[in-house]
Amino acid sequence: MNYIESNLRKDEQVVIRAKISWLTLIAPALSCIIGWVIAFYLKGLELDNMPESMATILGYVAIVIGVLFTLPLVKRILFNLTTHLAVTNKRVIGKVGVLKIDTIDYPIDKVDNVSFKAGFFGNIFKYATVQIGSVSGEKKLINSIGNAQQFKNNVTDAIEKHAEEARRAQAAEIAAAMANK
């Protein structure tokens, strides 16, 4: 059970989930491959005049270079696995992170706007950063959303549906109050 299911309230249904794009792993994966190629090249260097202690140090440096080039890939994989974002019939809810957790929980009537932007690679690989703003002025950015346009449209539809239901409820209250006079 992920974050969304475990935090649904009574009579709350998920309208749409944001899809995290796995294509964002391409750049860190290429970087990781390049780093390990460099590391194996350094490890394979055998200079005739190199003392054994220097060869050992070069081996450690090679491993450190490989690991350093692997960290961005691991970070991106963890981000993709721990990012959950959804629109329900009552709110926008989500979570990003493992050690440093950032949550989103905006009632649908408190969502001010939703927008998305995609950079060069985002346009090519069809992913974007979604920005959700609340009426309090707080804004949350969620990266690597593969269905950003659809997500934005569903949030806008949920806002309009909630406003229409609120207008109907208010009209019913006014009609009931006028009938009682």
Side-chain angles (χ1 to χ4, degrees):
M1 179 180 289
N2 71 23
Y3 181 80
I4 305 297
E5 279 80 27
S6 63
N7 285 288
L8 289 177
R9 296 178 184 153
K10 183 180 177 190
D11 299 328
E12 190 172 25
Q13 296 90 27
V14 174
V15 175
I16 187 172
R17 291 177 193 278
K19 295 178 183 165
I20 307 303
S21 176
W22 287 92
L23 294 173
T24 58
L25 293 175
I26 292 173
L30 289 175
S31 173
C32 180
I33 291 168
I34 290 169
W36 280 105
V37 166
I38 292 169
F40 284 123
Y41 175 76
L42 288 175
K43 182 74 172 129
L45 281 179
E46 291 185 23
L47 300 176
D48 294 334
N49 299 333
M50 185 184 297
E52 184 150 338
S53 62
M54 188 66 160
T56 304
I57 291 172
L58 194 58
Y60 289 134
V61 168
I63 291 171
V64 168
I65 288 173
V67 169
L68 287 176
F69 276 84
T70 304
L71 289 177
L73 179 61
V74 171
K75 179 182 174 188
R76 175 52 62 182
I77 290 170
L78 285 174
F79 174 84
N80 286 3
L81 290 174
T82 61
T83 299
H84 304 280
L85 182 65
V87 177
T88 71
N89 56 332
K90 297 181 180 186
R91 60 195 170 133
V92 176
I93 183 173
K95 175 190 86 82
V96 177
V98 179
L99 299 175
K100 179 183 171 237
I101 296 174
D102 190 15
T103 61
I104 299 167
D105 192 348
Y106 294 150
I108 225 51
D109 61 334
K110 303 295 184 208
V111 175
D112 185 33
N113 61 30
V114 177
S115 62
F116 66 92
K117 59 183 173 184
F120 177 74
F121 289 110
N123 283 324
I124 291 173
F125 296 120
K126 306 293 184 219
Y127 64 85
T129 298
V130 172
Q131 178 176 321
I132 303 168
S134 71
V135 293
S136 68
E138 183 180 21
K139 293 182 180 180
K140 298 281 186 171
L141 297 173
I142 298 89
N143 300 319
S144 308
I145 305 298
N147 59 344
Q149 179 70 48
Q150 184 182 10
F151 187 83
K152 176 189 175 294
N153 291 343
N154 277 293
V155 172
T156 304
D157 292 345
I159 291 169
E160 291 172 1
K161 184 177 179 182
H162 184 272
E164 180 64 30
E165 289 172 358
R167 284 190 292 273
R168 284 187 187 148
Q170 185 178 24
E173 285 180 18
I174 292 171
M178 292 181 78
N180 290 337
K181 283 190 173 188

